[in-house]
Amino acid sequence: MCDAKDTPAMELPPKERVEGARDKLCLKCKTAKPCVTIRRSLYCKDCFVRASVSKFRSALSKSRKRMPTLRVRAMVALSGGATSSAMLQLMADYQRMELKGFAAEPNYAGVVAGHVDESALFSGYNDSQICDIATAIGVECHVARLEDVFALEGDQAALLELVHATIAPGKVRDQLCVQLTRGDESTPAREQLRALFAGLGSATDREDMLDTIKSFLLARLVRQAQCGLLLLGDSGTRIASKLVSLTSRGRGFSLPLEVGAEAPFLGSNSGVTVYRPMRDFIMKEVAFFNLWTAQPSVVVPTFTTGAPETASIDRLTEAFVVGLDRDFCSTVPTVCRTVQKLELRPDALTAAQCIVCSMPAEASAQAWRNRLTVNVAPKDLPLEHIAVPSAD
């Protein structure tokens, strides 16, 4: 995901660009030799770190200006990856920042970290290292495990709907419904979780299910910690990939909520606001910031780790965006600026919420689904009763 060269497109050959950069100076201080190139701009180490800190604070301040009376606890979603680890460090420094010449007070009522342990699904997942990152920064870390989804009080009905909506009818789905309604003390929660994902047929489905469960658990952590703000570490590269991926899957109606800089979390009824303050960073900037500030992070495995680009829709769109940005370095910034122009339709926040992701669903979504979905196996119907979709 991170290309340390970030070569400009349609300009000079790589060798000539490198030799030309050696003769130039840092864009900011005009005195030091540059160490990194970001979107055709050259920075030395110190200026790059200061510019990154300033960019983060500027992004966070823009959101606060729209909500000047915000005095709530903020939770930083910490996965342990490069972007979330950098965001936690930047947020902790921002909270402790003192304004020169003024009697400064904390920008938020408190800052905590929220982490969802995925070790039940991925081998080699080290949860203790992730918690150590928050401890070293001096931030309290709230942890939930993926298997805790089977013990969510008050969310049993939502989970049943989630299972019915995502798993095909059959023995696996029936067993999961029994486990959710009656409980199965003889089967460990981890085994129940693995059975849930075993019933999904593709990596894309498993990634969607994982994101949904993590959203349920993050919402629970936010309520337990009494936070009104959740910070997600979506970099500009990630937002651009999600825009393409979600659009290709027909989720354009809820795009402003899922990739916007500021949006309600899990629909309009949660009372929690989501910020994405890392939206102006590309993955290359995050990698160099962590390197030069000695910010630790861990490798977070996924369902497509080590898999080819076509393993899932998210993996394919990520490879497409990263490859395009490598040759045309304005790709990600342009897409992210376009994202900020997206606005919700007036009826979006009052529309019925999807039972899977809690995002608003269009009023005609069910009718569209009925036209394209086969509810009865064709072999069970006479040939003359099988409807053939029209060309229009």
Side-chain angles (χ1 to χ4, degrees):
M1 295 176 62
C2 173
D3 179 12
K5 295 181 180 179
D6 197 14
T7 54
M10 306 301 291
E11 292 185 352
L12 298 174
K15 183 177 180 181
E16 296 182 18
R17 284 199 298 268
V18 173
E19 292 177 352
R22 292 174 180 172
D23 299 331
K24 297 182 180 180
L25 298 176
C26 172
L27 177 68
K28 293 289 185 180
C29 64
K30 311 292 185 182
T31 57
K33 291 290 185 180
C35 298
V36 63
T37 304
I38 303 294
R39 304 190 191 105
R40 305 175 189 174
S41 299
L42 305 176
Y43 295 91
C44 67
K45 176 180 176 180
D46 294 338
C47 289
F48 172 79
V49 172
R50 286 195 293 267
S52 298
V53 173
S54 176
K55 183 188 298 186
F56 176 83
R57 293 177 178 176
S58 176
L60 208 56
S61 297
K62 289 178 183 178
S63 298
R64 283 184 56 82
K65 287 180 180 179
R66 290 190 289 269
M67 301 180 66
T69 60
L70 182 65
R71 292 290 301 164
V72 297
R73 283 165 59 88
M75 174 173 286
V76 178
L78 178 65
S79 67
T83 309
S84 65
S85 299
M87 180 179 62
L88 181 61
Q89 179 65 66
L90 288 166
M91 184 62 182
D93 292 341
Y94 183 79
Q95 175 70 1
R96 293 189 289 259
M97 180 182 63
E98 293 184 358
L99 302 178
K100 296 181 179 180
F102 296 90
E105 61 182 45
N107 295 284
Y108 297 96
V111 175
V112 298
H115 170 62
V116 178
D117 180 8
E118 303 174 29
S119 58
L121 294 178
F122 305 107
S123 59
Y125 191 93
N126 197 326
D127 179 63
S128 60
Q129 288 185 352
I130 299 175
C131 294
D132 290 343
I133 294 175
T135 302
I137 296 175
V139 174
E140 180 185 2
C141 186
H142 297 255
V143 181
R145 301 183 181 278
L146 280 179
E147 54 268 34
D148 293 342
V149 72
F150 291 97
L152 285 179
E153 298 180 0
D155 292 330
Q156 188 182 82
L159 289 174
L160 284 172
E161 292 179 342
L162 175 62
V163 170
H164 279 280
T166 55
I167 300 180
K171 182 179 179 181
V172 174
R173 191 174 79 171
D174 294 340
Q175 289 177 345
L176 289 172
C177 292
V178 171
Q179 292 170 3
L180 289 174
T181 54
R182 301 180 182 177
D184 187 359
E185 298 180 357
S186 62
T187 304
R190 286 199 168 200
E191 295 302 325
Q192 298 179 44
L193 182 71
R194 289 167 182 166
L196 171 63
F197 282 87
L200 303 176
S202 67
T204 299
D205 293 338
R206 289 190 288 272
E207 287 177 340
D208 287 344
M209 176 63 81
L210 180 60
D211 289 341
T212 301
I213 292 177
K214 288 169 67 175
S215 296
F216 271 108
L217 295 174
L218 279 175
R220 184 189 190 190
L221 289 178
V222 167
R223 291 194 299 268
Q224 290 178 344
Q226 298 180 346
C227 296
L229 178 66
L230 178 66
L231 275 69
L232 298 180
D234 290 335
S235 66
T237 307
R238 176 60 179 156
I239 288 176
S241 300
K242 287 178 67 175
L243 175 68
V244 178
S245 175
L246 294 173
T247 303
S248 67
R249 284 182 280 176
R251 297 175 65 91
F253 187 68
S254 60
L255 269 181
L257 294 177
E258 301 196 60
V259 298
E262 176 185 338
F265 181 52
L266 285 177
S268 59
N269 300 323
S270 64
V272 178
T273 302
V274 167
Y275 285 174
R276 294 179 175 87
M278 302 296 288
R279 63 188 180 274
D280 294 328
F281 291 77
I282 60 176
M283 285 305 302
K284 176 179 176 179
E285 293 176 277
V286 175
F288 275 101
F289 177 82
N290 287 350
L291 174 64
W292 287 336
T293 59
Q295 175 59 38
S297 62
V298 300
V299 177
V300 182
T302 66
F303 290 111
T304 57
T305 299
E309 295 178 356
T310 56
S312 71
I313 295 178
D314 285 345
R315 179 75 178 86
L316 182 62
T317 55
E318 179 187 49
F320 168 73
V321 170
V322 171
L324 193 61
D325 191 67
R326 184 182 298 114
D327 296 329
F328 303 93
C329 60
S330 61
T331 298
V332 169
T334 301
V335 173
C336 289
R337 285 195 296 268
T338 303
V339 167
Q340 303 312 315
K341 298 178 182 179
L342 298 176
E343 296 182 358
L344 281 173
R345 284 174 42 176
D347 59 337
L349 292 179
T350 58
Q353 292 186 351
C354 172
I355 62 174
V356 178
C357 63
S358 297
M359 291 297 170
E362 290 185 274
S364 58
Q366 187 61 43
W368 173 84
R369 179 181 178 183
N370 292 338
R371 290 198 303 269
L372 300 180
T373 303
V374 178
N375 296 319
V376 181
K379 65 180 181 180
D380 298 333
L381 289 176
L383 183 61
E384 62 272 12
H385 291 163
I386 300 178
V388 178
S390 60
D392 56 358

